[in-house]
Amino acid sequence: MKFSKERILKSKLTWAVIAEALILLVCFCIRPDFFSISYQPSTGMLYGSLIDIVNRSAEITIIAMGMTLVIALGGTDLSVGALVAVAGALALKLLRWDVNEYPTPGDYSVQPFILVLLVPLVVCLLMGLFNGTLIAKFGMQPIIATLVLMVAGRGIAQITTDGKQFTTLFSPFRFIGQGSFLFLPMPIIITIVVVAGVAIFTRKTAFGMFVESVGVNRSASRVSGLRSDRIILIVYALTGLLSGISGLIYSSRISSCDSNNAGLNYEMDAILAVVIGGTNMSGGKFSLAGTVVGSLIIRTIVTFVYYFGVTAESTMAFKAMIIAVVIVLQSEPVRNMMAKRAKSKQNAVRGGVHA
């Protein structure tokens, strides 16, 4: 396939990559050691700002994989942050079960570890399926249907732990968020597996095309023979499952459950990552690679803000300002203008050569 410079400059993914490169460049100018990576023999893990950005963006990247498909359907899912809290609460409940009987956190699990992993994932999958049922079967607007679990999810998490914050020192569970494999933090490995799995599922099968078809025109897809309701159910169930994985990573990082703060604003960051990555909110074509870049941009901005020494109170405003600049760079007028300039320069060069 032949790619012209004009076509590349019109791509939202191109401008997302450029935005990420510019932010990294500014970080490097502020801190010359920004790109340095070191190895710690005691932990068997690589350390550095770049490693930290990819590591700390894991939860959002995993959720955003599901959110990409949801938005490609022309929908949205506001419940993903609450499902992160639910997954963490269920996992810690199974690890500690009764804090009165097991008051001291230690390197133990009351329930089999396989249940600690499977139960939260299955519950989150079912909650995602609940969202999909409200949308596909009952015709509710996605923003309204998912708002139900957004509100109720944290309540469910609080009920699960009786309003208490459980902590654990169970090594296998802590390995999920704090361990390493192949010199990389375990969350990065999990993210790579998830992204690869979703990419294979959507791009090596017809499912991705079905999602785009339903997102463009649900009625026409149904007339052409697609089971649009089934596709919607699968996408929302998958998003619930991915939120559960993100919840396990989050709770493993802090070795506890925090139903009030776990997954807070994750839904906004996930949507933002998808939009920055080039997927249209109205549905249709989607870009998983763009979503990954969008997620990295969000985490890089947070690191950038910390390096600037911005106070905690103004971090959100500073972050919003940078994101606004990134989105403007990706806007259609800017992309078209740059593409036209590239084309005019190319024509001028050709004209000079022929002359």
Side-chain angles (χ1 to χ4, degrees), residues 127-166:
M127 287 183 167
L129 195 61
F130 172 77
N131 286 335
T133 301
L134 292 180
I135 296 164
K137 301 297 184 182
F138 294 94
M140 292 181 65
Q141 291 293 324
I143 194 170
I144 301 301
T146 57
L147 190 62
V148 174
L149 276 182
M150 178 185 178
V151 175
R154 295 192 185 278
I156 294 171
Q158 291 279 10
I159 292 171
T160 301
T161 59
D162 299 322
K164 300 174 183 177
Q165 186 170 339
F166 291 10

PDB file of all heavy atoms in Angstrom, residues 127-166:
ATOM      1  N   MET A 127     -21.417  -7.665  35.188  1.00  0.00           N
ATOM      2  CA  MET A 127     -21.875  -6.280  35.281  1.00  0.00           C
ATOM      3  C   MET A 127     -21.806  -5.596  33.925  1.00  0.00           C
ATOM      4  O   MET A 127     -22.690  -4.813  33.554  1.00  0.00           O
ATOM      5  CB  MET A 127     -21.028  -5.523  36.306  1.00  0.00           C
ATOM      6  CG  MET A 127     -21.327  -5.897  37.751  1.00  0.00           C
ATOM      7  SD  MET A 127     -20.373  -4.920  38.932  1.00  0.00           S
ATOM      8  CE  MET A 127     -21.234  -5.330  40.455  1.00  0.00           C
ATOM      9  N   GLY A 128     -20.742  -5.886  33.166  1.00  0.00           N
ATOM     10  CA  GLY A 128     -20.673  -5.365  31.808  1.00  0.00           C
ATOM     11  C   GLY A 128     -21.780  -5.920  30.941  1.00  0.00           C
ATOM     12  O   GLY A 128     -22.364  -5.207  30.115  1.00  0.00           O
ATOM     13  N   LEU A 129     -22.108  -7.188  31.143  1.00  0.00           N
ATOM     14  CA  LEU A 129     -23.207  -7.816  30.416  1.00  0.00           C
ATOM     15  C   LEU A 129     -24.536  -7.165  30.783  1.00  0.00           C
ATOM     16  O   LEU A 129     -25.426  -7.009  29.931  1.00  0.00           O
ATOM     17  CB  LEU A 129     -23.244  -9.313  30.736  1.00  0.00           C
ATOM     18  CG  LEU A 129     -24.089 -10.199  29.824  1.00  0.00           C
ATOM     19  CD1 LEU A 129     -23.585 -10.155  28.393  1.00  0.00           C
ATOM     20  CD2 LEU A 129     -24.078 -11.645  30.340  1.00  0.00           C
ATOM     21  N   PHE A 130     -24.667  -6.763  32.044  1.00  0.00           N
ATOM     22  CA  PHE A 130     -25.864  -6.034  32.496  1.00  0.00           C
ATOM     23  C   PHE A 130     -26.000  -4.718  31.739  1.00  0.00           C
ATOM     24  O   PHE A 130     -27.094  -4.355  31.270  1.00  0.00           O
ATOM     25  CB  PHE A 130     -25.767  -5.789  34.002  1.00  0.00           C
ATOM     26  CG  PHE A 130     -26.833  -4.888  34.550  1.00  0.00           C
ATOM     27  CD1 PHE A 130     -28.121  -5.366  34.759  1.00  0.00           C
ATOM     28  CD2 PHE A 130     -26.547  -3.569  34.871  1.00  0.00           C
ATOM     29  CE1 PHE A 130     -29.117  -4.526  35.276  1.00  0.00           C
ATOM     30  CE2 PHE A 130     -27.531  -2.730  35.379  1.00  0.00           C
ATOM     31  CZ  PHE A 130     -28.819  -3.216  35.579  1.00  0.00           C
ATOM     32  N   ASN A 131     -24.887  -3.982  31.604  1.00  0.00           N
ATOM     33  CA  ASN A 131     -24.911  -2.741  30.824  1.00  0.00           C
ATOM     34  C   ASN A 131     -25.347  -3.012  29.385  1.00  0.00           C
ATOM     35  O   ASN A 131     -26.198  -2.304  28.832  1.00  0.00           O
ATOM     36  CB  ASN A 131     -23.519  -2.102  30.811  1.00  0.00           C
ATOM     37  CG  ASN A 131     -23.148  -1.451  32.128  1.00  0.00           C
ATOM     38  OD1 ASN A 131     -24.006  -1.049  32.901  1.00  0.00           O
ATOM     39  ND2 ASN A 131     -21.854  -1.353  32.395  1.00  0.00           N
ATOM     40  N   GLY A 132     -24.742  -4.043  28.788  1.00  0.00           N
ATOM     41  CA  GLY A 132     -25.074  -4.379  27.411  1.00  0.00           C
ATOM     42  C   GLY A 132     -26.527  -4.773  27.232  1.00  0.00           C
ATOM     43  O   GLY A 132     -27.148  -4.446  26.222  1.00  0.00           O
ATOM     44  N   THR A 133     -27.077  -5.474  28.224  1.00  0.00           N
ATOM     45  CA  THR A 133     -28.488  -5.887  28.155  1.00  0.00           C
ATOM     46  C   THR A 133     -29.414  -4.685  28.174  1.00  0.00           C
ATOM     47  O   THR A 133     -30.394  -4.611  27.411  1.00  0.00           O
ATOM     48  CB  THR A 133     -28.828  -6.822  29.328  1.00  0.00           C
ATOM     49  OG1 THR A 133     -27.964  -7.969  29.274  1.00  0.00           O
ATOM     50  CG2 THR A 133     -30.272  -7.279  29.262  1.00  0.00           C
ATOM     51  N   LEU A 134     -29.122  -3.724  29.052  1.00  0.00           N
ATOM     52  CA  LEU A 134     -29.951  -2.512  29.116  1.00  0.00           C
ATOM     53  C   LEU A 134     -29.932  -1.759  27.788  1.00  0.00           C
ATOM     54  O   LEU A 134     -30.952  -1.202  27.367  1.00  0.00           O
ATOM     55  CB  LEU A 134     -29.451  -1.596  30.236  1.00  0.00           C
ATOM     56  CG  LEU A 134     -29.618  -2.087  31.677  1.00  0.00           C
ATOM     57  CD1 LEU A 134     -29.076  -1.048  32.653  1.00  0.00           C
ATOM     58  CD2 LEU A 134     -31.075  -2.389  31.996  1.00  0.00           C
ATOM     59  N   ILE A 135     -28.780  -1.775  27.130  1.00  0.00           N
ATOM     60  CA  ILE A 135     -28.632  -1.022  25.878  1.00  0.00           C
ATOM     61  C   ILE A 135     -29.192  -1.802  24.693  1.00  0.00           C
ATOM     62  O   ILE A 135     -29.968  -1.266  23.889  1.00  0.00           O
ATOM     63  CB  ILE A 135     -27.146  -0.688  25.642  1.00  0.00           C
ATOM     64  CG1 ILE A 135     -26.641   0.240  26.741  1.00  0.00           C
ATOM     65  CG2 ILE A 135     -26.940  -0.048  24.270  1.00  0.00           C
ATOM     66  CD1 ILE A 135     -25.137   0.336  26.824  1.00  0.00           C
ATOM     67  N   ALA A 136     -28.813  -3.085  24.583  1.00  0.00           N
ATOM     68  CA  ALA A 136     -29.186  -3.882  23.410  1.00  0.00           C
ATOM     69  C   ALA A 136     -30.622  -4.372  23.456  1.00  0.00           C
ATOM     70  O   ALA A 136     -31.322  -4.380  22.440  1.00  0.00           O
ATOM     71  CB  ALA A 136     -28.231  -5.066  23.266  1.00  0.00           C
ATOM     72  N   LYS A 137     -31.077  -4.809  24.620  1.00  0.00           N
ATOM     73  CA  LYS A 137     -32.395  -5.423  24.735  1.00  0.00           C
ATOM     74  C   LYS A 137     -33.493  -4.436  25.118  1.00  0.00           C
ATOM     75  O   LYS A 137     -34.643  -4.589  24.699  1.00  0.00           O
ATOM     76  CB  LYS A 137     -32.354  -6.551  25.764  1.00  0.00           C
ATOM     77  CG  LYS A 137     -31.355  -7.663  25.446  1.00  0.00           C
ATOM     78  CD  LYS A 137     -31.694  -8.378  24.153  1.00  0.00           C
ATOM     79  CE  LYS A 137     -30.746  -9.544  23.904  1.00  0.00           C
ATOM     80  NZ  LYS A 137     -31.041 -10.231  22.620  1.00  0.00           N
ATOM     81  N   PHE A 138     -33.135  -3.440  25.945  1.00  0.00           N
ATOM     82  CA  PHE A 138     -34.157  -2.501  26.419  1.00  0.00           C
ATOM     83  C   PHE A 138     -34.067  -1.132  25.757  1.00  0.00           C
ATOM     84  O   PHE A 138     -34.860  -0.250  26.055  1.00  0.00           O
ATOM     85  CB  PHE A 138     -34.066  -2.349  27.941  1.00  0.00           C
ATOM     86  CG  PHE A 138     -34.409  -3.604  28.691  1.00  0.00           C
ATOM     87  CD1 PHE A 138     -33.413  -4.481  29.078  1.00  0.00           C
ATOM     88  CD2 PHE A 138     -35.726  -3.921  28.987  1.00  0.00           C
ATOM     89  CE1 PHE A 138     -33.714  -5.652  29.759  1.00  0.00           C
ATOM     90  CE2 PHE A 138     -36.041  -5.086  29.659  1.00  0.00           C
ATOM     91  CZ  PHE A 138     -35.045  -5.959  30.053  1.00  0.00           C
ATOM     92  N   GLY A 139     -33.087  -0.964  24.867  1.00  0.00           N
ATOM     93  CA  GLY A 139     -32.993   0.265  24.078  1.00  0.00           C
ATOM     94  C   GLY A 139     -32.629   1.507  24.860  1.00  0.00           C
ATOM     95  O   GLY A 139     -32.910   2.617  24.408  1.00  0.00           O
ATOM     96  N   MET A 140     -31.989   1.354  26.027  1.00  0.00           N
ATOM     97  CA  MET A 140     -31.597   2.518  26.812  1.00  0.00           C
ATOM     98  C   MET A 140     -30.378   3.193  26.197  1.00  0.00           C
ATOM     99  O   MET A 140     -29.554   2.550  25.548  1.00  0.00           O
ATOM    100  CB  MET A 140     -31.279   2.104  28.260  1.00  0.00           C
ATOM    101  CG  MET A 140     -32.484   1.646  29.050  1.00  0.00           C
ATOM    102  SD  MET A 140     -32.063   1.195  30.761  1.00  0.00           S
ATOM    103  CE  MET A 140     -31.543   2.792  31.401  1.00  0.00           C
ATOM    104  N   GLN A 141     -30.281   4.501  26.393  1.00  0.00           N
ATOM    105  CA  GLN A 141     -29.100   5.225  25.943  1.00  0.00           C
ATOM    106  C   GLN A 141     -27.883   4.763  26.754  1.00  0.00           C
ATOM    107  O   GLN A 141     -27.971   4.609  27.960  1.00  0.00           O
ATOM    108  CB  GLN A 141     -29.300   6.729  26.130  1.00  0.00           C
ATOM    109  CG  GLN A 141     -30.325   7.347  25.205  1.00  0.00           C
ATOM    110  CD  GLN A 141     -29.882   7.315  23.761  1.00  0.00           C
ATOM    111  OE1 GLN A 141     -28.695   7.472  23.450  1.00  0.00           O
ATOM    112  NE2 GLN A 141     -30.825   7.108  22.849  1.00  0.00           N
ATOM    113  N   PRO A 142     -26.740   4.532  26.105  1.00  0.00           N
ATOM    114  CA  PRO A 142     -25.559   4.025  26.819  1.00  0.00           C
ATOM    115  C   PRO A 142     -25.157   4.870  28.019  1.00  0.00           C
ATOM    116  O   PRO A 142     -24.783   4.330  29.062  1.00  0.00           O
ATOM    117  CB  PRO A 142     -24.470   4.043  25.741  1.00  0.00           C
ATOM    118  CG  PRO A 142     -25.212   3.893  24.458  1.00  0.00           C
ATOM    119  CD  PRO A 142     -26.495   4.628  24.644  1.00  0.00           C
ATOM    120  N   ILE A 143     -25.240   6.187  27.898  1.00  0.00           N
ATOM    121  CA  ILE A 143     -24.810   7.044  28.989  1.00  0.00           C
ATOM    122  C   ILE A 143     -25.719   6.879  30.210  1.00  0.00           C
ATOM    123  O   ILE A 143     -25.266   6.978  31.364  1.00  0.00           O
ATOM    124  CB  ILE A 143     -24.754   8.529  28.540  1.00  0.00           C
ATOM    125  CG1 ILE A 143     -23.987   9.362  29.564  1.00  0.00           C
ATOM    126  CG2 ILE A 143     -26.151   9.077  28.303  1.00  0.00           C
ATOM    127  CD1 ILE A 143     -23.689  10.761  29.085  1.00  0.00           C
ATOM    128  N   ILE A 144     -27.008   6.598  29.963  1.00  0.00           N
ATOM    129  CA  ILE A 144     -27.952   6.395  31.065  1.00  0.00           C
ATOM    130  C   ILE A 144     -27.785   4.995  31.649  1.00  0.00           C
ATOM    131  O   ILE A 144     -27.757   4.817  32.880  1.00  0.00           O
ATOM    132  CB  ILE A 144     -29.399   6.597  30.586  1.00  0.00           C
ATOM    133  CG1 ILE A 144     -29.588   8.011  30.015  1.00  0.00           C
ATOM    134  CG2 ILE A 144     -30.376   6.353  31.722  1.00  0.00           C
ATOM    135  CD1 ILE A 144     -29.291   9.123  30.991  1.00  0.00           C
ATOM    136  N   ALA A 145     -27.659   4.002  30.775  1.00  0.00           N
ATOM    137  CA  ALA A 145     -27.552   2.619  31.238  1.00  0.00           C
ATOM    138  C   ALA A 145     -26.306   2.413  32.100  1.00  0.00           C
ATOM    139  O   ALA A 145     -26.362   1.764  33.152  1.00  0.00           O
ATOM    140  CB  ALA A 145     -27.516   1.677  30.027  1.00  0.00           C
ATOM    141  N   THR A 146     -25.182   2.961  31.655  1.00  0.00           N
ATOM    142  CA  THR A 146     -23.938   2.763  32.409  1.00  0.00           C
ATOM    143  C   THR A 146     -23.849   3.665  33.629  1.00  0.00           C
ATOM    144  O   THR A 146     -23.058   3.405  34.539  1.00  0.00           O
ATOM    145  CB  THR A 146     -22.714   2.994  31.500  1.00  0.00           C
ATOM    146  OG1 THR A 146     -22.773   4.316  30.942  1.00  0.00           O
ATOM    147  CG2 THR A 146     -22.695   1.983  30.365  1.00  0.00           C
ATOM    148  N   LEU A 147     -24.644   4.721  33.633  1.00  0.00           N
ATOM    149  CA  LEU A 147     -24.679   5.596  34.809  1.00  0.00           C
ATOM    150  C   LEU A 147     -25.213   4.855  36.032  1.00  0.00           C
ATOM    151  O   LEU A 147     -24.854   5.173  37.172  1.00  0.00           O
ATOM    152  CB  LEU A 147     -25.543   6.826  34.510  1.00  0.00           C
ATOM    153  CG  LEU A 147     -25.516   7.968  35.527  1.00  0.00           C
ATOM    154  CD1 LEU A 147     -24.114   8.549  35.632  1.00  0.00           C
ATOM    155  CD2 LEU A 147     -26.512   9.049  35.132  1.00  0.00           C
ATOM    156  N   VAL A 148     -26.063   3.865  35.794  1.00  0.00           N
ATOM    157  CA  VAL A 148     -26.622   3.071  36.881  1.00  0.00           C
ATOM    158  C   VAL A 148     -25.512   2.407  37.688  1.00  0.00           C
ATOM    159  O   VAL A 148     -25.444   2.531  38.920  1.00  0.00           O
ATOM    160  CB  VAL A 148     -27.597   2.002  36.331  1.00  0.00           C
ATOM    161  CG1 VAL A 148     -28.073   1.084  37.455  1.00  0.00           C
ATOM    162  CG2 VAL A 148     -28.784   2.663  35.634  1.00  0.00           C
ATOM    163  N   LEU A 149     -24.619   1.704  36.987  1.00  0.00           N
ATOM    164  CA  LEU A 149     -23.518   1.023  37.683  1.00  0.00           C
ATOM    165  C   LEU A 149     -22.440   2.000  38.135  1.00  0.00           C
ATOM    166  O   LEU A 149     -21.717   1.716  39.092  1.00  0.00           O
ATOM    167  CB  LEU A 149     -22.900  -0.048  36.791  1.00  0.00           C
ATOM    168  CG  LEU A 149     -23.611  -1.402  36.791  1.00  0.00           C
ATOM    169  CD1 LEU A 149     -22.865  -2.399  35.914  1.00  0.00           C
ATOM    170  CD2 LEU A 149     -23.730  -1.952  38.204  1.00  0.00           C
ATOM    171  N   MET A 150     -22.315   3.118  37.467  1.00  0.00           N
ATOM    172  CA  MET A 150     -21.363   4.125  37.914  1.00  0.00           C
ATOM    173  C   MET A 150     -21.720   4.593  39.320  1.00  0.00           C
ATOM    174  O   MET A 150     -20.848   4.785  40.174  1.00  0.00           O
ATOM    175  CB  MET A 150     -21.358   5.314  36.950  1.00  0.00           C
ATOM    176  CG  MET A 150     -20.415   6.437  37.363  1.00  0.00           C
ATOM    177  SD  MET A 150     -20.548   7.886  36.280  1.00  0.00           S
ATOM    178  CE  MET A 150     -19.377   8.993  37.064  1.00  0.00           C
ATOM    179  N   VAL A 151     -23.005   4.763  39.554  1.00  0.00           N
ATOM    180  CA  VAL A 151     -23.479   5.202  40.870  1.00  0.00           C
ATOM    181  C   VAL A 151     -23.505   4.044  41.853  1.00  0.00           C
ATOM    182  O   VAL A 151     -23.062   4.162  43.001  1.00  0.00           O
ATOM    183  CB  VAL A 151     -24.876   5.836  40.746  1.00  0.00           C
ATOM    184  CG1 VAL A 151     -25.428   6.188  42.129  1.00  0.00           C
ATOM    185  CG2 VAL A 151     -24.828   7.069  39.859  1.00  0.00           C
ATOM    186  N   ALA A 152     -24.017   2.882  41.399  1.00  0.00           N
ATOM    187  CA  ALA A 152     -24.211   1.751  42.306  1.00  0.00           C
ATOM    188  C   ALA A 152     -22.932   0.964  42.572  1.00  0.00           C
ATOM    189  O   ALA A 152     -22.810   0.322  43.621  1.00  0.00           O
ATOM    190  CB  ALA A 152     -25.265   0.805  41.728  1.00  0.00           C
ATOM    191  N   GLY A 153     -21.971   1.023  41.633  1.00  0.00           N
ATOM    192  CA  GLY A 153     -20.779   0.180  41.745  1.00  0.00           C
ATOM    193  C   GLY A 153     -19.991   0.412  43.021  1.00  0.00           C
ATOM    194  O   GLY A 153     -19.598  -0.542  43.709  1.00  0.00           O
ATOM    195  N   ARG A 154     -19.751   1.661  43.350  1.00  0.00           N
ATOM    196  CA  ARG A 154     -18.972   1.949  44.558  1.00  0.00           C
ATOM    197  C   ARG A 154     -19.741   1.562  45.813  1.00  0.00           C
ATOM    198  O   ARG A 154     -19.145   1.162  46.820  1.00  0.00           O
ATOM    199  CB  ARG A 154     -18.571   3.424  44.599  1.00  0.00           C
ATOM    200  CG  ARG A 154     -17.632   3.780  43.481  1.00  0.00           C
ATOM    201  CD  ARG A 154     -16.990   5.139  43.634  1.00  0.00           C
ATOM    202  NE  ARG A 154     -16.207   5.411  42.432  1.00  0.00           N
ATOM    203  CZ  ARG A 154     -14.985   4.956  42.229  1.00  0.00           C
ATOM    204  NH1 ARG A 154     -14.397   4.224  43.146  1.00  0.00           N
ATOM    205  NH2 ARG A 154     -14.342   5.227  41.110  1.00  0.00           N
ATOM    206  N   GLY A 155     -21.061   1.663  45.729  1.00  0.00           N
ATOM    207  CA  GLY A 155     -21.879   1.197  46.850  1.00  0.00           C
ATOM    208  C   GLY A 155     -21.746  -0.308  47.036  1.00  0.00           C
ATOM    209  O   GLY A 155     -21.634  -0.804  48.164  1.00  0.00           O
ATOM    210  N   ILE A 156     -21.735  -1.036  45.918  1.00  0.00           N
ATOM    211  CA  ILE A 156     -21.549  -2.490  45.973  1.00  0.00           C
ATOM    212  C   ILE A 156     -20.179  -2.826  46.567  1.00  0.00           C
ATOM    213  O   ILE A 156     -20.044  -3.746  47.383  1.00  0.00           O
ATOM    214  CB  ILE A 156     -21.691  -3.102  44.569  1.00  0.00           C
ATOM    215  CG1 ILE A 156     -23.130  -2.934  44.059  1.00  0.00           C
ATOM    216  CG2 ILE A 156     -21.299  -4.581  44.561  1.00  0.00           C
ATOM    217  CD1 ILE A 156     -23.327  -3.301  42.603  1.00  0.00           C
ATOM    218  N   ALA A 157     -19.169  -2.060  46.162  1.00  0.00           N
ATOM    219  CA  ALA A 157     -17.822  -2.286  46.699  1.00  0.00           C
ATOM    220  C   ALA A 157     -17.780  -2.029  48.204  1.00  0.00           C
ATOM    221  O   ALA A 157     -17.150  -2.782  48.959  1.00  0.00           O
ATOM    222  CB  ALA A 157     -16.817  -1.389  45.978  1.00  0.00           C
ATOM    223  N   GLN A 158     -18.466  -0.988  48.643  1.00  0.00           N
ATOM    224  CA  GLN A 158     -18.499  -0.672  50.079  1.00  0.00           C
ATOM    225  C   GLN A 158     -19.231  -1.750  50.868  1.00  0.00           C
ATOM    226  O   GLN A 158     -18.802  -2.151  51.959  1.00  0.00           O
ATOM    227  CB  GLN A 158     -19.184   0.684  50.298  1.00  0.00           C
ATOM    228  CG  GLN A 158     -18.408   1.879  49.796  1.00  0.00           C
ATOM    229  CD  GLN A 158     -17.323   2.321  50.777  1.00  0.00           C
ATOM    230  OE1 GLN A 158     -17.026   1.636  51.748  1.00  0.00           O
ATOM    231  NE2 GLN A 158     -16.729   3.467  50.503  1.00  0.00           N
ATOM    232  N   ILE A 159     -20.322  -2.245  50.297  1.00  0.00           N
ATOM    233  CA  ILE A 159     -21.082  -3.312  50.962  1.00  0.00           C
ATOM    234  C   ILE A 159     -20.234  -4.580  51.067  1.00  0.00           C
ATOM    235  O   ILE A 159     -20.254  -5.277  52.080  1.00  0.00           O
ATOM    236  CB  ILE A 159     -22.388  -3.589  50.193  1.00  0.00           C
ATOM    237  CG1 ILE A 159     -23.334  -2.388  50.311  1.00  0.00           C
ATOM    238  CG2 ILE A 159     -23.069  -4.859  50.707  1.00  0.00           C
ATOM    239  CD1 ILE A 159     -24.543  -2.476  49.414  1.00  0.00           C
ATOM    240  N   THR A 160     -19.477  -4.872  50.015  1.00  0.00           N
ATOM    241  CA  THR A 160     -18.643  -6.079  49.992  1.00  0.00           C
ATOM    242  C   THR A 160     -17.648  -6.101  51.147  1.00  0.00           C
ATOM    243  O   THR A 160     -17.414  -7.142  51.775  1.00  0.00           O
ATOM    244  CB  THR A 160     -17.879  -6.173  48.656  1.00  0.00           C
ATOM    245  OG1 THR A 160     -18.829  -6.208  47.577  1.00  0.00           O
ATOM    246  CG2 THR A 160     -17.009  -7.420  48.604  1.00  0.00           C
ATOM    247  N   THR A 161     -17.064  -4.942  51.432  1.00  0.00           N
ATOM    248  CA  THR A 161     -16.046  -4.868  52.494  1.00  0.00           C
ATOM    249  C   THR A 161     -16.586  -4.272  53.789  1.00  0.00           C
ATOM    250  O   THR A 161     -15.802  -3.933  54.682  1.00  0.00           O
ATOM    251  CB  THR A 161     -14.851  -4.027  52.010  1.00  0.00           C
ATOM    252  OG1 THR A 161     -15.320  -2.712  51.660  1.00  0.00           O
ATOM    253  CG2 THR A 161     -14.188  -4.658  50.801  1.00  0.00           C
ATOM    254  N   ASP A 162     -17.909  -4.128  53.883  1.00  0.00           N
ATOM    255  CA  ASP A 162     -18.529  -3.539  55.079  1.00  0.00           C
ATOM    256  C   ASP A 162     -17.980  -2.148  55.377  1.00  0.00           C
ATOM    257  O   ASP A 162     -17.865  -1.745  56.545  1.00  0.00           O
ATOM    258  CB  ASP A 162     -18.319  -4.445  56.304  1.00  0.00           C
ATOM    259  CG  ASP A 162     -18.943  -5.816  56.121  1.00  0.00           C
ATOM    260  OD1 ASP A 162     -20.042  -5.875  55.531  1.00  0.00           O
ATOM    261  OD2 ASP A 162     -18.336  -6.819  56.542  1.00  0.00           O
ATOM    262  N   GLY A 163     -17.628  -1.424  54.338  1.00  0.00           N
ATOM    263  CA  GLY A 163     -17.129  -0.068  54.505  1.00  0.00           C
ATOM    264  C   GLY A 163     -15.712   0.012  55.027  1.00  0.00           C
ATOM    265  O   GLY A 163     -15.226   1.108  55.345  1.00  0.00           O
ATOM    266  N   LYS A 164     -15.025  -1.127  55.117  1.00  0.00           N
ATOM    267  CA  LYS A 164     -13.656  -1.142  55.648  1.00  0.00           C
ATOM    268  C   LYS A 164     -12.644  -1.214  54.503  1.00  0.00           C
ATOM    269  O   LYS A 164     -12.963  -1.647  53.398  1.00  0.00           O
ATOM    270  CB  LYS A 164     -13.463  -2.342  56.579  1.00  0.00           C
ATOM    271  CG  LYS A 164     -14.403  -2.338  57.775  1.00  0.00           C
ATOM    272  CD  LYS A 164     -14.274  -3.620  58.574  1.00  0.00           C
ATOM    273  CE  LYS A 164     -15.264  -3.638  59.737  1.00  0.00           C
ATOM    274  NZ  LYS A 164     -15.218  -4.905  60.495  1.00  0.00           N
ATOM    275  N   GLN A 165     -11.434  -0.788  54.807  1.00  0.00           N
ATOM    276  CA  GLN A 165     -10.356  -0.864  53.824  1.00  0.00           C
ATOM    277  C   GLN A 165      -9.443  -2.027  54.195  1.00  0.00           C
ATOM    278  O   GLN A 165      -8.649  -1.940  55.118  1.00  0.00           O
ATOM    279  CB  GLN A 165      -9.568   0.445  53.782  1.00  0.00           C
ATOM    280  CG  GLN A 165      -8.525   0.467  52.669  1.00  0.00           C
ATOM    281  CD  GLN A 165      -7.921   1.845  52.467  1.00  0.00           C
ATOM    282  OE1 GLN A 165      -8.506   2.842  52.853  1.00  0.00           O
ATOM    283  NE2 GLN A 165      -6.756   1.905  51.855  1.00  0.00           N
ATOM    284  N   PHE A 166      -9.581  -3.122  53.467  1.00  0.00           N
ATOM    285  CA  PHE A 166      -8.784  -4.309  53.732  1.00  0.00           C
ATOM    286  C   PHE A 166      -7.378  -4.137  53.150  1.00  0.00           C
ATOM    287  O   PHE A 166      -7.203  -3.539  52.088  1.00  0.00           O
ATOM    288  CB  PHE A 166      -9.413  -5.552  53.100  1.00  0.00           C
ATOM    289  CG  PHE A 166     -10.695  -5.983  53.750  1.00  0.00           C
ATOM    290  CD1 PHE A 166     -11.342  -5.192  54.679  1.00  0.00           C
ATOM    291  CD2 PHE A 166     -11.265  -7.199  53.433  1.00  0.00           C
ATOM    292  CE1 PHE A 166     -12.527  -5.596  55.277  1.00  0.00           C
ATOM    293  CE2 PHE A 166     -12.449  -7.624  54.014  1.00  0.00           C
ATOM    294  CZ  PHE A 166     -13.082  -6.815  54.941  1.00  0.00           C
TER     295      PHE A 166
END
